[in-house]
Amino acid sequence: MRMKSQRGLSLLGVLVVGAFAAFVLTIGFRAVPVINEYLAIKRIVNVLADEGDKGMSALELRRSFDRRGQIDDVSSVSGVDLLIDKSGPRTRIEVGYSRTVPLVANLSLLVELHARSEGR
């Protein structure tokens, strides 16, 4: 009789794959609040660009961003951080910022984000 070789993962292989999956899930779960905040900022910037097209001043746009940011729990950016350009036919608003996400012990993830109003 001939012995067939077994196939599959060894215990060590299962542990390595499990540790890698746990690390990827940790990064994913820690990044979700950063992504939610970015999407809220992007939505607010687009709304403000439309309001700027309707005649709101830059100061009013900054104040409106601060009010909307409180509602959507935006803490990384404030109205003074906005770059507002009303020189063209459309109001353009953009903001760049970075967030540091602590992962494990002294290991952190730096995420650099840039939100701008969509040019229509």
Side-chain angles (χ1 to χ4, degrees):
M1 255 205 286
R2 198 167 171 206
M3 298 281 290
K4 292 184 178 178
S5 63
Q6 294 182 349
R7 296 180 185 215
L9 290 176
S10 66
L11 178 60
L12 182 61
V14 169
L15 291 176
V16 169
V17 169
F20 181 73
F23 184 71
V24 169
L25 284 174
T26 299
I27 291 173
F29 287 139
R30 299 278 174 110
V32 166
V34 174
I35 294 168
N36 284 339
E37 184 181 50
Y38 170 75
L39 294 174
I41 291 171
K42 180 84 171 152
R43 187 179 70 255
I44 293 170
V45 164
N46 285 325
V47 169
L48 291 179
D50 290 338
E51 289 178 356
D53 291 341
K54 295 175 185 172
M56 282 184 91
S57 70
L59 181 61
E60 291 171 325
L61 291 173
R62 292 178 199 283
R63 287 181 182 160
S64 180
F65 181 87
D66 288 336
R67 284 192 306 272
R68 292 171 190 269
Q70 283 181 334
I71 294 169
D72 287 333
D73 197 28
V74 173
S75 60
S76 299
V77 179
S78 67
V80 297
D81 299 323
L82 299 177
L83 300 172
I84 300 172
D85 179 18
K86 295 186 86 165
S87 63
R90 306 286 309 204
T91 301
R92 290 181 35 117
I93 301 174
E94 57 185 285
V95 62
Y97 64 101
S98 61
R99 288 275 308 259
T100 302
V101 180
L103 294 178
V104 179
N106 63 351
L107 181 65
S108 298
L109 176 67
L110 176 66
V111 182
E112 294 186 8
L113 301 157
H114 187 85
R116 74 171 52 140
S117 59
E118 297 174 1
R120 296 179 227 2

